[in-house]
Amino acid sequence: QVQLVESGGGLVQAGGSLRLSCAASGRTFNSYSYVMGWLRQAPGKERVLVVDIRWSSGRTNYADSVKSRFTISRDNAKNTVYLQMDSLKPEDTAVYYCAARRVELNQYEYWGQGSQVAVSS
């Protein structure tokens, strides 16, 4: 099993910044075998992918709506993934989830508890 523990989030004014963290652990967790993602779900909407990163190569994939504003990074020593969110907009308001899947899979297997991000105008 893999455990994902998120931290960060909160309330910020439009144009502000927040950083989310996701610490991964577990006896079977080998970070280099995983893709880590940040997904978000706004009220009344489906959960969508914001960005993901292939841990081994660092290759990233951003949603168009967050390109140039959000940055995903990883700390190998801490098995932690970060999401730096800058120039936040009210439409970024959502619950943000960290997720992990093995590289060979298409569906995320493990999920964090979710972090509320609220951006006021």
Side-chain angles (χ1 to χ4, degrees):
Q1 279 288 53
V2 174
Q3 293 80 43
L4 303 177
V5 178
E6 301 179 32
S7 59
L11 174 64
V12 66
Q13 289 188 332
S17 298
L18 286 172
R19 188 177 82 157
L20 302 178
S21 300
C22 174
S25 63
R27 186 170 56 87
T28 61
F29 183 70
N30 176 5
S31 62
Y32 284 83
S33 301
Y34 280 82
V35 174
M36 305 295 295
W38 286 100
L39 299 90
R40 68 186 182 188
Q41 187 167 21
K45 297 187 177 180
E46 293 186 351
R47 190 177 300 183
V48 296
L49 180 69
V50 175
V51 59
D52 63 31
I53 183 168
R54 186 162 179 164
W55 203 298
S56 58
S57 65
R59 186 173 67 184
T60 59
N61 173 41
Y62 287 90
D64 288 342
S65 59
V66 305
K67 280 181 181 176
S68 78
R69 299 189 300 120
F70 289 13
T71 304
I72 190 171
S73 62
R74 70 205 191 286
D75 184 325
N76 294 334
K78 296 181 179 179
N79 274 355
T80 298
V81 174
Y82 302 96
L83 181 64
Q84 177 66 40
M85 303 181 289
D86 298 319
S87 302
L88 282 160
K89 304 175 180 180
E91 51 264 43
D92 294 317
T93 295
V95 177
Y96 284 71
Y97 295 92
C98 173
R101 61 175 174 86
R102 282 168 286 173
V103 170
E104 63 268 27
L105 300 179
N106 292 322
Q107 300 292 329
Y108 283 98
E109 304 173 81
Y110 305 103
W111 294 85
Q113 77 274 22
S115 299
Q116 178 69 56
V117 171
V119 185
S120 62
S121 57

